[in-house]
Short mmCIF file of all heavy atoms in Angstrom, two decimals:
data_model
loop_
_atom_site.label_atom_id
_atom_site.label_comp_id
_atom_site.label_asym_id
_atom_site.label_seq_id
_atom_site.Cartn_x
_atom_site.Cartn_y
_atom_site.Cartn_z
N MET A 1 92.65 296.39 304.81
CA MET A 1 92.32 297.57 304.04
C MET A 1 93.53 298.07 303.25
O MET A 1 93.39 298.46 302.12
CB MET A 1 91.85 298.65 305.01
CG MET A 1 90.61 299.43 304.71
SD MET A 1 89.44 298.89 303.50
CE MET A 1 87.99 298.89 304.47
N ALA A 2 94.69 298.03 303.89
CA ALA A 2 95.90 298.53 303.23
C ALA A 2 96.21 297.71 301.99
O ALA A 2 96.69 298.25 301.00
CB ALA A 2 97.06 298.51 304.20
N SER A 3 95.95 296.41 302.03
CA SER A 3 96.25 295.58 300.87
C SER A 3 95.34 295.93 299.70
O SER A 3 95.75 295.86 298.55
CB SER A 3 96.13 294.10 301.23
OG SER A 3 94.79 293.79 301.58
N ARG A 4 94.11 296.31 300.00
CA ARG A 4 93.18 296.73 298.96
C ARG A 4 93.69 297.98 298.26
O ARG A 4 93.65 298.09 297.03
CB ARG A 4 91.82 297.03 299.57
CG ARG A 4 90.75 296.18 299.03
CD ARG A 4 89.43 296.62 299.59
NE ARG A 4 88.57 295.46 299.57
CZ ARG A 4 87.30 295.47 299.81
NH1 ARG A 4 86.72 296.59 300.14
NH2 ARG A 4 86.60 294.38 299.75
N ILE A 5 94.14 298.92 299.05
CA ILE A 5 94.66 300.17 298.48
C ILE A 5 95.92 299.87 297.66
O ILE A 5 96.10 300.39 296.56
CB ILE A 5 94.96 301.20 299.60
CG1 ILE A 5 93.63 301.63 300.26
CG2 ILE A 5 95.69 302.41 299.04
CD1 ILE A 5 93.80 302.48 301.49
N GLY A 6 96.77 299.02 298.18
CA GLY A 6 97.98 298.64 297.45
C GLY A 6 97.67 297.95 296.14
O GLY A 6 98.29 298.24 295.11
N LEU A 7 96.68 297.05 296.17
CA LEU A 7 96.29 296.37 294.94
C LEU A 7 95.71 297.34 293.92
O LEU A 7 95.98 297.26 292.73
CB LEU A 7 95.28 295.26 295.25
CG LEU A 7 95.83 294.03 295.96
CD1 LEU A 7 94.70 293.09 296.36
CD2 LEU A 7 96.83 293.30 295.08
N ARG A 8 94.91 298.26 294.42
CA ARG A 8 94.32 299.26 293.52
C ARG A 8 95.40 300.15 292.91
O ARG A 8 95.34 300.45 291.71
CB ARG A 8 93.31 300.11 294.29
CG ARG A 8 92.59 301.11 293.45
CD ARG A 8 91.13 301.18 293.84
NE ARG A 8 90.40 302.15 293.09
CZ ARG A 8 89.75 301.87 291.97
NH1 ARG A 8 89.74 300.65 291.50
NH2 ARG A 8 89.09 302.80 291.32
N MET A 9 96.36 300.55 293.69
CA MET A 9 97.46 301.36 293.18
C MET A 9 98.26 300.58 292.14
O MET A 9 98.65 301.12 291.10
CB MET A 9 98.38 301.82 294.32
CG MET A 9 97.72 302.77 295.30
SD MET A 9 97.26 304.34 294.54
CE MET A 9 98.85 305.07 294.34
N GLN A 10 98.51 299.29 292.41
CA GLN A 10 99.25 298.46 291.46
C GLN A 10 98.47 298.33 290.15
O GLN A 10 99.05 298.41 289.06
CB GLN A 10 99.52 297.07 292.07
CG GLN A 10 100.30 296.14 291.17
CD GLN A 10 101.70 296.65 290.89
OE1 GLN A 10 102.37 297.18 291.77
NE2 GLN A 10 102.14 296.50 289.66
N LEU A 11 97.16 298.15 290.27
CA LEU A 11 96.31 298.05 289.08
C LEU A 11 96.39 299.34 288.27
O LEU A 11 96.52 299.30 287.04
CB LEU A 11 94.87 297.77 289.48
CG LEU A 11 93.85 297.72 288.35
CD1 LEU A 11 94.16 296.58 287.38
CD2 LEU A 11 92.45 297.57 288.91
N MET A 12 96.32 300.47 288.92
CA MET A 12 96.39 301.76 288.23
C MET A 12 97.74 301.92 287.54
O MET A 12 97.81 302.40 286.40
CB MET A 12 96.13 302.90 289.21
CG MET A 12 94.69 302.94 289.70
SD MET A 12 94.41 304.13 291.02
CE MET A 12 94.57 305.65 290.13
N ARG A 13 98.83 301.51 288.21
CA ARG A 13 100.16 301.59 287.60
C ARG A 13 100.25 300.70 286.37
O ARG A 13 100.76 301.10 285.33
CB ARG A 13 101.24 301.19 288.60
CG ARG A 13 101.64 302.31 289.55
CD ARG A 13 102.91 301.96 290.29
NE ARG A 13 102.74 300.83 291.20
CZ ARG A 13 102.42 300.92 292.48
NH1 ARG A 13 102.24 302.10 293.03
NH2 ARG A 13 102.28 299.84 293.22
N ASP A 14 99.72 299.48 286.48
CA ASP A 14 99.74 298.55 285.36
C ASP A 14 98.95 299.10 284.17
O ASP A 14 99.39 299.00 283.03
CB ASP A 14 99.18 297.18 285.77
CG ASP A 14 100.10 296.43 286.72
OD1 ASP A 14 101.28 296.83 286.86
OD2 ASP A 14 99.62 295.44 287.33
N GLN A 15 97.79 299.67 284.46
CA GLN A 15 96.97 300.22 283.39
C GLN A 15 97.68 301.39 282.71
O GLN A 15 97.65 301.52 281.48
CB GLN A 15 95.62 300.67 283.93
CG GLN A 15 94.71 299.51 284.29
CD GLN A 15 93.42 299.96 284.96
OE1 GLN A 15 93.34 301.05 285.53
NE2 GLN A 15 92.41 299.10 284.91
N LEU A 16 98.34 302.22 283.50
CA LEU A 16 99.08 303.35 282.95
C LEU A 16 100.24 302.86 282.07
O LEU A 16 100.46 303.38 280.98
CB LEU A 16 99.60 304.25 284.07
CG LEU A 16 100.37 305.50 283.64
CD1 LEU A 16 99.49 306.39 282.77
CD2 LEU A 16 100.87 306.26 284.85
N GLN A 17 100.94 301.83 282.53
CA GLN A 17 102.04 301.28 281.73
C GLN A 17 101.52 300.70 280.42
O GLN A 17 102.14 300.87 279.37
CB GLN A 17 102.79 300.21 282.52
CG GLN A 17 103.65 300.77 283.63
CD GLN A 17 104.30 299.66 284.47
OE1 GLN A 17 103.94 298.50 284.35
NE2 GLN A 17 105.26 300.04 285.30
N GLN A 18 100.40 300.01 280.48
CA GLN A 18 99.82 299.44 279.26
C GLN A 18 99.42 300.54 278.28
O GLN A 18 99.64 300.45 277.08
CB GLN A 18 98.61 298.57 279.60
CG GLN A 18 98.97 297.26 280.26
CD GLN A 18 97.75 296.47 280.69
OE1 GLN A 18 96.61 296.94 280.60
NE2 GLN A 18 97.97 295.26 281.19
N GLU A 19 98.83 301.60 278.82
CA GLU A 19 98.43 302.74 277.98
C GLU A 19 99.66 303.37 277.32
O GLU A 19 99.65 303.67 276.12
CB GLU A 19 97.70 303.77 278.84
CG GLU A 19 97.36 305.04 278.12
CD GLU A 19 95.98 305.02 277.54
OE1 GLU A 19 95.18 304.16 277.91
OE2 GLU A 19 95.71 305.87 276.68
N GLU A 20 100.73 303.56 278.10
CA GLU A 20 101.95 304.15 277.54
C GLU A 20 102.55 303.24 276.48
O GLU A 20 103.04 303.70 275.45
CB GLU A 20 102.96 304.41 278.66
CG GLU A 20 102.56 305.56 279.57
CD GLU A 20 103.46 305.68 280.79
OE1 GLU A 20 104.26 304.76 281.06
OE2 GLU A 20 103.37 306.73 281.46
N GLN A 21 102.50 301.93 276.70
CA GLN A 21 103.03 300.99 275.73
C GLN A 21 102.22 301.05 274.43
O GLN A 21 102.79 301.04 273.34
CB GLN A 21 103.01 299.56 276.30
CG GLN A 21 103.65 298.54 275.37
CD GLN A 21 103.68 297.15 275.98
OE1 GLN A 21 103.15 296.92 277.06
NE2 GLN A 21 104.31 296.22 275.28
N ARG A 22 100.90 301.13 274.54
CA ARG A 22 100.07 301.25 273.35
C ARG A 22 100.39 302.52 272.57
O ARG A 22 100.46 302.53 271.35
CB ARG A 22 98.59 301.23 273.72
CG ARG A 22 98.02 299.83 273.93
CD ARG A 22 96.51 299.85 273.99
NE ARG A 22 95.99 300.58 275.12
CZ ARG A 22 95.71 300.05 276.31
NH1 ARG A 22 95.88 298.76 276.52
NH2 ARG A 22 95.24 300.79 277.29
N GLU A 23 100.59 303.62 273.30
CA GLU A 23 100.92 304.89 272.65
C GLU A 23 102.27 304.79 271.93
O GLU A 23 102.41 305.28 270.81
CB GLU A 23 100.95 306.02 273.67
CG GLU A 23 99.57 306.44 274.16
CD GLU A 23 99.63 307.51 275.23
OE1 GLU A 23 100.74 308.02 275.54
OE2 GLU A 23 98.57 307.85 275.77
N ARG A 24 103.25 304.15 272.55
CA ARG A 24 104.56 303.98 271.92
C ARG A 24 104.43 303.13 270.66
O ARG A 24 105.03 303.44 269.63
CB ARG A 24 105.56 303.34 272.89
CG ARG A 24 106.12 304.31 273.91
CD ARG A 24 107.33 303.72 274.62
NE ARG A 24 107.05 302.48 275.32
CZ ARG A 24 106.61 302.38 276.56
NH1 ARG A 24 106.39 303.46 277.27
NH2 ARG A 24 106.38 301.20 277.11
N GLN A 25 103.65 302.06 270.74
CA GLN A 25 103.45 301.21 269.56
C GLN A 25 102.77 301.99 268.44
O GLN A 25 103.14 301.88 267.27
CB GLN A 25 102.61 299.97 269.92
CG GLN A 25 103.37 298.95 270.73
CD GLN A 25 102.48 297.80 271.18
OE1 GLN A 25 101.25 297.88 271.14
NE2 GLN A 25 103.11 296.71 271.62
N GLN A 26 101.79 302.79 268.79
CA GLN A 26 101.08 303.59 267.80
C GLN A 26 102.03 304.60 267.15
O GLN A 26 102.01 304.78 265.94
CB GLN A 26 99.90 304.32 268.45
CG GLN A 26 99.04 305.09 267.47
CD GLN A 26 98.29 304.19 266.51
OE1 GLN A 26 97.87 303.11 266.87
NE2 GLN A 26 98.15 304.61 265.28
N GLN A 27 102.87 305.24 267.95
CA GLN A 27 103.83 306.20 267.41
C GLN A 27 104.83 305.50 266.50
O GLN A 27 105.19 306.01 265.44
CB GLN A 27 104.57 306.91 268.54
CG GLN A 27 103.70 307.90 269.29
CD GLN A 27 104.39 308.49 270.51
OE1 GLN A 27 105.48 308.04 270.89
NE2 GLN A 27 103.77 309.47 271.14
N HIS A 28 105.25 304.30 266.90
CA HIS A 28 106.18 303.53 266.08
C HIS A 28 105.54 303.17 264.74
O HIS A 28 106.15 303.31 263.68
CB HIS A 28 106.65 302.28 266.81
CG HIS A 28 107.52 301.38 266.00
ND1 HIS A 28 108.81 301.72 265.66
CD2 HIS A 28 107.29 300.18 265.43
CE1 HIS A 28 109.33 300.76 264.92
NE2 HIS A 28 108.42 299.82 264.78
N GLN A 29 104.29 302.69 264.79
CA GLN A 29 103.59 302.33 263.56
C GLN A 29 103.44 303.56 262.66
O GLN A 29 103.62 303.46 261.45
CB GLN A 29 102.22 301.75 263.87
CG GLN A 29 102.28 300.33 264.37
CD GLN A 29 100.90 299.78 264.71
OE1 GLN A 29 99.94 300.52 264.88
NE2 GLN A 29 100.80 298.47 264.82
N ASN A 30 103.11 304.69 263.25
CA ASN A 30 102.95 305.91 262.46
C ASN A 30 104.27 306.29 261.81
O ASN A 30 104.32 306.71 260.66
CB ASN A 30 102.42 307.06 263.31
CG ASN A 30 100.96 306.87 263.68
OD1 ASN A 30 100.26 306.07 263.07
ND2 ASN A 30 100.51 307.59 264.68
N ALA A 31 105.37 306.17 262.56
CA ALA A 31 106.67 306.52 262.03
C ALA A 31 107.07 305.58 260.90
O ALA A 31 107.68 305.99 259.92
CB ALA A 31 107.72 306.48 263.14
N VAL A 32 106.72 304.30 261.02
CA VAL A 32 107.07 303.33 260.00
C VAL A 32 106.17 303.49 258.77
O VAL A 32 106.63 303.43 257.63
CB VAL A 32 106.96 301.89 260.55
CG1 VAL A 32 107.06 300.86 259.45
CG2 VAL A 32 108.03 301.65 261.60
N LEU A 33 104.89 303.71 258.99
CA LEU A 33 103.93 303.76 257.88
C LEU A 33 103.90 305.12 257.18
O LEU A 33 103.49 305.18 256.02
CB LEU A 33 102.53 303.43 258.38
CG LEU A 33 102.30 301.98 258.78
CD1 LEU A 33 100.89 301.80 259.31
CD2 LEU A 33 102.55 301.03 257.62
N GLN A 34 104.32 306.17 257.84
CA GLN A 34 104.20 307.50 257.25
C GLN A 34 104.93 307.62 255.91
O GLN A 34 104.33 308.08 254.93
CB GLN A 34 104.70 308.55 258.23
CG GLN A 34 104.43 309.97 257.75
CD GLN A 34 104.79 311.00 258.78
OE1 GLN A 34 105.44 310.69 259.77
NE2 GLN A 34 104.37 312.21 258.57
N PRO A 35 106.19 307.19 255.79
CA PRO A 35 106.84 307.29 254.47
C PRO A 35 106.11 306.45 253.42
O PRO A 35 105.96 306.87 252.27
CB PRO A 35 108.25 306.76 254.70
CG PRO A 35 108.47 306.85 256.17
CD PRO A 35 107.11 306.74 256.80
N TYR A 36 105.66 305.28 253.81
CA TYR A 36 104.93 304.41 252.89
C TYR A 36 103.65 305.08 252.41
O TYR A 36 103.34 305.08 251.22
CB TYR A 36 104.62 303.07 253.56
CG TYR A 36 103.73 302.17 252.75
CD1 TYR A 36 104.22 301.51 251.64
CD2 TYR A 36 102.39 302.01 253.09
CE1 TYR A 36 103.39 300.69 250.88
CE2 TYR A 36 101.56 301.19 252.34
CZ TYR A 36 102.07 300.53 251.24
OH TYR A 36 101.24 299.73 250.51
N MET A 37 102.90 305.66 253.35
CA MET A 37 101.63 306.29 253.00
C MET A 37 101.86 307.53 252.14
O MET A 37 101.10 307.81 251.22
CB MET A 37 100.84 306.67 254.25
CG MET A 37 100.32 305.45 255.01
SD MET A 37 99.32 304.36 253.99
CE MET A 37 97.86 305.34 253.78
N GLN A 38 102.93 308.29 252.41
CA GLN A 38 103.22 309.46 251.58
C GLN A 38 103.54 309.02 250.16
O GLN A 38 103.11 309.65 249.20
CB GLN A 38 104.39 310.24 252.18
CG GLN A 38 104.02 311.01 253.42
CD GLN A 38 105.21 311.69 254.06
OE1 GLN A 38 106.35 311.42 253.72
NE2 GLN A 38 104.95 312.58 255.00
N GLN A 39 104.26 307.92 250.04
CA GLN A 39 104.59 307.41 248.72
C GLN A 39 103.32 306.94 248.02
O GLN A 39 103.13 307.19 246.83
CB GLN A 39 105.58 306.25 248.84
CG GLN A 39 106.03 305.68 247.52
CD GLN A 39 106.98 304.51 247.71
OE1 GLN A 39 107.07 303.95 248.80
NE2 GLN A 39 107.67 304.15 246.67
N ARG A 40 102.42 306.27 248.76
CA ARG A 40 101.18 305.78 248.16
C ARG A 40 100.27 306.94 247.76
O ARG A 40 99.60 306.88 246.75
CB ARG A 40 100.43 304.87 249.14
CG ARG A 40 101.11 303.59 249.49
CD ARG A 40 100.98 302.57 248.42
NE ARG A 40 99.56 302.20 248.31
CZ ARG A 40 99.08 301.49 247.33
NH1 ARG A 40 99.84 301.05 246.37
NH2 ARG A 40 97.81 301.19 247.28
N MET A 41 100.26 307.98 248.58
CA MET A 41 99.39 309.11 248.28
C MET A 41 99.89 309.84 247.04
O MET A 41 99.10 310.34 246.26
CB MET A 41 99.33 310.08 249.47
CG MET A 41 98.66 309.50 250.70
SD MET A 41 96.98 308.97 250.42
CE MET A 41 96.15 310.52 250.46
N ALA A 42 101.19 309.93 246.85
CA ALA A 42 101.73 310.58 245.67
C ALA A 42 101.33 309.76 244.45
O ALA A 42 100.79 310.29 243.50
CB ALA A 42 103.24 310.70 245.79
N GLY A 43 101.58 308.47 244.52
CA GLY A 43 101.15 307.52 243.52
C GLY A 43 101.37 307.94 242.09
O GLY A 43 102.00 308.94 241.81
N PRO A 44 100.83 307.17 241.18
CA PRO A 44 100.96 307.51 239.77
C PRO A 44 100.07 308.69 239.41
O PRO A 44 99.08 308.95 240.09
CB PRO A 44 100.49 306.24 239.06
CG PRO A 44 99.59 305.57 240.03
CD PRO A 44 100.12 305.93 241.39
N PRO A 45 100.40 309.40 238.36
CA PRO A 45 99.54 310.53 237.96
C PRO A 45 98.17 310.03 237.50
O PRO A 45 98.01 308.86 237.15
CB PRO A 45 100.32 311.16 236.80
CG PRO A 45 101.24 310.10 236.32
CD PRO A 45 101.53 309.20 237.51
N ALA A 46 97.22 310.91 237.52
CA ALA A 46 95.86 310.56 237.12
C ALA A 46 95.87 310.11 235.66
O ALA A 46 96.57 310.71 234.83
CB ALA A 46 94.93 311.75 237.29
N PRO A 47 95.13 309.06 235.34
CA PRO A 47 95.12 308.58 233.95
C PRO A 47 94.48 309.60 233.01
O PRO A 47 93.56 310.31 233.39
CB PRO A 47 94.29 307.30 234.02
CG PRO A 47 93.45 307.45 235.24
CD PRO A 47 94.25 308.30 236.19
N THR A 48 94.98 309.63 231.83
CA THR A 48 94.40 310.52 230.83
C THR A 48 93.40 309.71 230.02
O THR A 48 93.57 308.50 229.84
CB THR A 48 95.49 311.08 229.90
OG1 THR A 48 96.19 309.99 229.31
CG2 THR A 48 96.46 311.95 230.66
N PRO A 49 92.37 310.34 229.51
CA PRO A 49 91.37 309.58 228.74
C PRO A 49 92.00 309.01 227.47
O PRO A 49 92.90 309.60 226.88
CB PRO A 49 90.30 310.62 228.42
CG PRO A 49 90.86 311.94 228.76
CD PRO A 49 92.04 311.73 229.65
N ALA A 50 91.50 307.85 227.06
CA ALA A 50 92.02 307.19 225.86
C ALA A 50 91.64 307.97 224.61
O ALA A 50 92.37 307.98 223.63
CB ALA A 50 91.48 305.77 225.78
N ILE A 51 90.50 308.63 224.67
CA ILE A 51 90.04 309.42 223.52
C ILE A 51 89.93 310.86 223.97
O ILE A 51 89.30 311.16 224.98
CB ILE A 51 88.65 308.92 223.04
CG1 ILE A 51 88.73 307.46 222.64
CG2 ILE A 51 88.15 309.79 221.91
CD1 ILE A 51 87.39 306.84 222.34
N SER A 52 90.56 311.74 223.26
CA SER A 52 90.44 313.14 223.64
C SER A 52 89.40 313.81 222.75
O SER A 52 89.46 313.73 221.53
CB SER A 52 91.79 313.85 223.51
OG SER A 52 92.26 313.77 222.19
N ALA A 53 88.44 314.43 223.39
CA ALA A 53 87.37 315.12 222.68
C ALA A 53 87.71 316.60 222.61
O ALA A 53 88.44 317.11 223.45
CB ALA A 53 86.05 314.93 223.41
N PRO A 54 87.18 317.27 221.64
CA PRO A 54 87.42 318.72 221.57
C PRO A 54 86.90 319.39 222.84
O PRO A 54 85.95 318.93 223.47
CB PRO A 54 86.60 319.16 220.35
CG PRO A 54 86.42 317.93 219.54
CD PRO A 54 86.41 316.78 220.51
N GLN A 55 87.53 320.47 223.22
CA GLN A 55 87.21 321.18 224.45
C GLN A 55 85.73 321.55 224.53
O GLN A 55 85.14 321.47 225.59
CB GLN A 55 88.08 322.44 224.56
CG GLN A 55 87.93 323.18 225.87
CD GLN A 55 88.48 322.38 227.04
OE1 GLN A 55 89.42 321.62 226.90
NE2 GLN A 55 87.89 322.56 228.20
N GLN A 56 85.13 321.93 223.42
CA GLN A 56 83.72 322.36 223.45
C GLN A 56 82.77 321.24 223.85
O GLN A 56 81.70 321.47 224.36
CB GLN A 56 83.32 322.92 222.09
CG GLN A 56 83.36 321.89 220.97
CD GLN A 56 83.14 322.52 219.60
OE1 GLN A 56 83.34 323.71 219.44
NE2 GLN A 56 82.74 321.72 218.64
N TYR A 57 83.16 319.97 223.63
CA TYR A 57 82.30 318.84 223.96
C TYR A 57 82.55 318.28 225.36
O TYR A 57 81.75 317.52 225.88
CB TYR A 57 82.46 317.72 222.94
CG TYR A 57 82.03 318.11 221.55
CD1 TYR A 57 82.93 318.04 220.49
CD2 TYR A 57 80.75 318.55 221.30
CE1 TYR A 57 82.55 318.40 219.21
CE2 TYR A 57 80.35 318.92 220.02
CZ TYR A 57 81.26 318.84 218.98
OH TYR A 57 80.88 319.19 217.73
N GLN A 58 83.66 318.61 225.97
CA GLN A 58 84.02 318.02 227.26
C GLN A 58 83.10 318.47 228.39
O GLN A 58 82.88 317.75 229.34
CB GLN A 58 85.47 318.33 227.61
CG GLN A 58 86.44 317.56 226.73
CD GLN A 58 87.88 317.85 227.08
OE1 GLN A 58 88.17 318.63 227.98
NE2 GLN A 58 88.79 317.22 226.37
N SER A 59 82.56 319.65 228.30
CA SER A 59 81.72 320.16 229.40
C SER A 59 80.23 319.99 229.13
O SER A 59 79.41 320.43 229.92
CB SER A 59 82.04 321.63 229.64
OG SER A 59 81.71 322.38 228.48
N MET A 60 79.86 319.35 228.02
CA MET A 60 78.44 319.18 227.70
C MET A 60 77.79 318.16 228.62
O MET A 60 78.41 317.19 229.01
CB MET A 60 78.27 318.73 226.24
CG MET A 60 78.63 319.80 225.24
SD MET A 60 78.40 319.25 223.55
CE MET A 60 76.65 319.02 223.51
N GLN A 61 76.53 318.40 228.93
CA GLN A 61 75.74 317.47 229.73
C GLN A 61 75.07 316.46 228.80
O GLN A 61 74.51 316.83 227.78
CB GLN A 61 74.68 318.22 230.54
CG GLN A 61 75.25 319.16 231.58
CD GLN A 61 75.97 318.40 232.68
OE1 GLN A 61 75.54 317.33 233.07
NE2 GLN A 61 77.07 318.95 233.15
N VAL A 62 75.14 315.19 229.18
CA VAL A 62 74.52 314.13 228.38
C VAL A 62 73.26 313.68 229.10
O VAL A 62 73.30 313.40 230.29
CB VAL A 62 75.50 312.95 228.21
CG1 VAL A 62 74.85 311.83 227.39
CG2 VAL A 62 76.78 313.42 227.56
N PRO A 63 72.12 313.61 228.39
CA PRO A 63 70.88 313.16 229.04
C PRO A 63 71.05 311.75 229.60
O PRO A 63 71.74 310.91 229.04
CB PRO A 63 69.86 313.16 227.90
CG PRO A 63 70.42 314.09 226.87
CD PRO A 63 71.91 314.00 227.01
N VAL A 64 70.41 311.49 230.74
CA VAL A 64 70.53 310.22 231.43
C VAL A 64 70.06 309.07 230.55
O VAL A 64 70.63 307.98 230.57
CB VAL A 64 69.73 310.25 232.75
CG1 VAL A 64 69.77 308.90 233.44
CG2 VAL A 64 70.26 311.34 233.65
N GLU A 65 69.03 309.29 229.73
CA GLU A 65 68.51 308.22 228.88
C GLU A 65 69.58 307.69 227.93
O GLU A 65 69.62 306.51 227.62
CB GLU A 65 67.31 308.71 228.05
CG GLU A 65 66.09 309.06 228.87
CD GLU A 65 66.18 310.45 229.49
OE1 GLU A 65 66.91 311.32 228.94
OE2 GLU A 65 65.55 310.65 230.54
N ILE A 66 70.46 308.53 227.50
CA ILE A 66 71.52 308.11 226.57
C ILE A 66 72.56 307.26 227.32
O ILE A 66 73.12 306.32 226.77
CB ILE A 66 72.18 309.34 225.90
CG1 ILE A 66 71.16 310.02 225.00
CG2 ILE A 66 73.42 308.93 225.12
CD1 ILE A 66 71.64 311.30 224.39
N LEU A 67 72.78 307.58 228.57
CA LEU A 67 73.79 306.87 229.35
C LEU A 67 73.32 305.52 229.83
O LEU A 67 74.14 304.67 230.20
CB LEU A 67 74.22 307.71 230.55
CG LEU A 67 74.92 309.04 230.20
CD1 LEU A 67 75.21 309.80 231.48
CD2 LEU A 67 76.19 308.79 229.42
N LYS A 68 72.03 305.27 229.84
CA LYS A 68 71.51 304.00 230.36
C LYS A 68 71.89 302.85 229.43
O LYS A 68 71.85 302.97 228.22
CB LYS A 68 69.98 304.04 230.49
CG LYS A 68 69.51 304.86 231.66
CD LYS A 68 68.01 304.78 231.77
CE LYS A 68 67.50 305.65 232.89
NZ LYS A 68 66.06 305.66 232.98
N VAL A 69 72.24 301.73 230.02
CA VAL A 69 72.56 300.52 229.27
C VAL A 69 71.51 299.49 229.62
O VAL A 69 71.26 299.21 230.78
CB VAL A 69 73.97 299.99 229.64
CG1 VAL A 69 74.25 298.69 228.92
CG2 VAL A 69 75.01 301.04 229.33
N SER A 70 70.90 298.92 228.60
CA SER A 70 69.87 297.91 228.87
C SER A 70 70.34 296.56 228.37
O SER A 70 71.02 296.46 227.36
CB SER A 70 68.56 298.30 228.21
OG SER A 70 68.76 298.37 226.81
N ARG A 71 69.97 295.53 229.11
CA ARG A 71 70.29 294.16 228.72
C ARG A 71 68.99 293.51 228.24
O ARG A 71 68.04 293.39 228.98
CB ARG A 71 70.84 293.37 229.90
CG ARG A 71 72.22 293.80 230.29
CD ARG A 71 72.67 292.91 231.38
NE ARG A 71 74.10 292.70 231.25
CZ ARG A 71 74.83 292.04 232.10
NH1 ARG A 71 74.25 291.50 233.15
NH2 ARG A 71 76.11 291.89 231.92
N ASP A 72 69.00 293.10 227.03
CA ASP A 72 67.80 292.45 226.48
C ASP A 72 67.98 290.96 226.39
O ASP A 72 68.99 290.41 226.34
CB ASP A 72 67.48 293.01 225.09
CG ASP A 72 67.07 294.47 225.18
OD1 ASP A 72 66.51 294.86 226.21
OD2 ASP A 72 67.34 295.21 224.23
#
């Protein structure tokens, strides 16, 4: 019986060590990737449209039929 308890305790210790190791690896990955991700999130500025329309036309709604493209 004592060996069963000892084996169970050893298993619990091993599982705890594995969990702690995974957490350390995750923290390390976060520390390494965080500067990279911040740089990626900043990224280039949003592209500006190639054609600038007058302000009065920019907010107009275009009917869906006009936007449809058909292939004949």
Side-chain angles (χ1 to χ4, degrees):
M1 227 15 126
S3 64
R4 241 185 206 190
I5 293 172
L7 288 173
R8 183 139 179 92
M9 294 296 288
Q10 181 64 40
L11 176 63
M12 291 172 70
R13 278 193 294 267
D14 290 346
Q15 288 174 338
L16 182 59
Q17 287 176 348
Q18 288 175 354
E19 174 94 15
E20 289 172 348
Q21 184 177 5
R22 278 193 296 268
E23 287 177 5
R24 282 193 301 272
Q25 287 175 344
Q26 184 67 36
Q27 288 173 353
H28 175 71
Q29 284 179 342
N30 288 343
V32 170
L33 290 177
Q34 188 174 12
Y36 173 74
M37 291 305 289
Q38 286 175 347
Q39 182 182 16
R40 294 282 294 169
M41 294 301 282
T48 56
I51 301 172
S52 59
Q55 186 67 31
Q56 64 188 21
Y57 296 122
Q58 289 181 0
S59 63
M60 291 181 65
Q61 295 294 323
V62 179
V64 177
E65 294 81 25
I66 294 175
L67 296 177
K68 286 183 182 176
V69 177
S70 62
R71 289 184 146 175
D72 293 330

